Amino acid sequence: GNGNGNGNLNGDLSSTVNISTVNDQGSVPSLVSYEGDASEPQTPPDLTTVSLPARPFLSITITPDQLAKILGPEKYEPESIDRTNVPGIATGLAWTQAGGDVLFIEATWMDGKGNLQLTGQLGDVMKESAQTALSWIRSHACELGLLKRNEEKHFLEMKDIHIHFPAGAVPKDGPSAGVTITSALVSLMTGRRVRFDTAMTGEISLRGLVLPVGGIKEKCLAAYTAGIKRIILPYRCAKDIVEIPSEIKDQIQFIFVKRIEEVLQAALEGGYTFDRFNINGQLSKDNMSDSDGSDRHPHNIVQLKSKL
C-alpha cells in the first residue's frame, strides 16, 4: 500500500483504524488512530502510557428515610429488650459455623414433683449443663435466699421446671450455656429480671466455678450486632478479646468472672446480695465475701471497657 492514510478502502487496501480504550480508573475513553496495510497483521500501539483525563465522581446523598425504599424491609431487628422484660429469661451467646449468634434461654415453673423438662432440640452436652445449673441452685438455695435453712422439704421438690431454647428447628449443643441457664433459673425463682443490655457465655461446675469457652470473638461480634452493651465472660477468656476490633471493644463493657455468684450479681437488675452462714451457723449478709478473704466473689469482678 501507499500508506496515504486517507481511510479509503481502494485497491491498495490501506485504511485507518480507530481504537477506543478506557483505563482502570474509569476515565473518559480516548481515541487513538494508526495507519497500516490491511493485508498484513497490525499491532496496536501501547496504550498503557496514554494519559487520560479523570472522570469526575458522582456524589449521591442517601437519608435514613430512603434506606427502606432502596434496600427493602429490615431483615434483622434486635430483640433483647423485648425478650428479657420478664424474669426467667437470659441472653446467651453461641458459636455456629456461620459465626456467632445470640441465644435466648427461657425458664418457667409450675407445681409438680421436681422434674426438669428441656426443649429446643438440645444435644447431650447442653442437657448436662442444665442439670448442673439446677443442681448448683438446689445446693445453694439458702445462700440465694430461696430456702430457709430449717425447712424440712426443699421447695424445688414441689416444682417442675421447664427450660426452653427458642428456634427449636435449629440443633443446639456445646459447653457454654451453663452461666446463662443458671442466670435464667435464678431470675425466675427470685422474680428479678436479667439486664436487657447484658449477654453472657461460659460453663459452670458443680462447685460454682465459671469455666473458659471458645469462639469469643465471634460471640462478641454477634452481641455487638444485637445491640448488647455488656458481656459477661469467664476470667480465663480475657486474653481472647484482643482479637476483637478496637472500634467494637470500645463500645462494650466486658465483665470477667471466676464464679457463678459474680455472674448473678453482674447480670441481675440491681445486683445480688448472697446470704452466707458464719462459723456459728448464724445467718449473715456479707455481700458475697468469704471470711478467709479468698478471691471468689463479685468484689473481684474485673470490669474492662477495654483497650487491650
Side-chain angles (χ1 to χ4, degrees):
N2 56 17
N4 56 16
N6 58 12
N8 296 322
L9 294 178
N10 340 29
D12 56 9
L13 297 179
S14 65
S15 63
T16 299
V17 182
N18 292 329
I19 299 177
S20 177
T21 180
V22 180
N23 68 4
D24 294 337
Q25 287 71 37
S27 301
V28 177
S30 173
L31 295 179
V32 180
S33 299
Y34 71 98
E35 298 178 326
D37 189 342
S39 63
E40 298 178 2
Q42 299 294 326
T43 302
D46 184 6
L47 301 179
T48 59
T49 60
V50 176
S51 178
L52 301 175
R55 175 181 297 174
F57 289 100
L58 180 62
S59 176
I60 300 177
T61 302
I62 300 176
T63 64
D65 296 336
Q66 296 173 313
L67 285 178
K69 182 182 295 186
I70 297 173
L71 301 178
E74 293 185 25
K75 297 183 179 180
Y76 178 83
E77 294 183 6
E79 53 181 349
S80 297
I81 297 178
D82 296 333
R83 284 291 189 95
T84 58
N85 61 357
V86 295
I89 302 176
T91 306
L93 299 173
W95 180 92
T96 69
Q97 293 181 350
D101 197 6
V102 172
L103 182 67
F104 296 97
I105 296 179
E106 304 174 348
T108 189
W109 58 357
M110 64 289 294
D111 292 337
K113 300 181 180 179
N115 298 321
L116 174 63
Q117 182 179 5
L118 303 172
T119 55
Q121 199 173 166
L122 309 181
D124 291 339
V125 176
M126 195 166 284
K127 291 178 181 178
E128 292 176 358
S129 295
Q131 292 283 358
T132 302
L134 184 58
S135 294
W136 183 87
I137 292 173
R138 288 174 62 100
S139 61
H140 293 79
C142 294
E143 299 172 21
L144 291 168
L146 303 174
L147 182 70
K148 294 181 180 179
R149 193 172 183 82
N150 56 0
E151 286 189 22
E152 296 182 359
K153 192 170 184 179
H154 203 295
F155 76 100
L156 288 178
E157 296 179 3
M158 299 175 285
K159 292 287 186 179
D160 286 346
I161 295 177
H162 184 176
I163 301 175
H164 178 61
F165 293 71
V170 180
K172 308 170 190 69
D173 202 7
S176 63
V179 296
T180 315
I181 296 172
T182 305
S183 298
L185 289 173
V186 173
S187 171
L188 169 71
M189 297 173 187
T190 61
R192 305 271 298 279
R193 294 183 300 185
V194 175
R195 292 183 52 157
F196 71 88
D197 61 349
T198 301
M200 62 200 78
T201 184
E203 192 53 274
I204 67 168
S205 70
L206 284 175
R207 295 171 52 203
L209 298 176
V210 177
L211 307 178
V213 294
I216 297 299
K217 176 183 177 181
E218 292 80 4
K219 293 176 180 178
C220 291
L221 293 180
Y224 173 79
T225 303
I228 297 296
K229 302 299 182 183
R230 302 167 74 244
I231 301 179
I232 301 173
L233 297 173
Y235 184 84
R236 289 165 60 185
C237 290
K239 63 183 185 301
D240 297 324
I241 69 169
V242 297
E243 302 176 353
I244 303 172
S246 58
E247 60 269 21
I248 294 179
K249 286 192 294 187
D250 292 342
Q251 300 185 53
I252 295 178
Q253 179 185 20
F254 295 94
I255 303 172
F256 299 100
V257 297
K258 295 181 178 180
R259 294 190 55 84
I260 188 60
E261 293 97 332
E262 302 173 42
V263 175
L264 297 176
Q265 182 161 6
L268 297 178
E269 290 184 350
Y272 202 91
T273 299
F274 287 76
D275 294 335
R276 310 285 293 178
F277 285 88
N278 61 26
I279 194 170
N280 298 319
Q282 297 175 340
L283 183 63
S284 63
K285 293 188 176 182
D286 63 1
N287 196 30
M288 296 169 41
S289 60
D290 286 344
S291 58
D292 61 358
S294 62
D295 126 9
R296 55 176 294 187
H297 292 309
H299 60 277
N300 294 302
I301 288 180
V302 178
Q303 297 188 351
L304 207 56
K305 194 168 188 302
S306 90
K307 288 190 178 180
L308 294 181

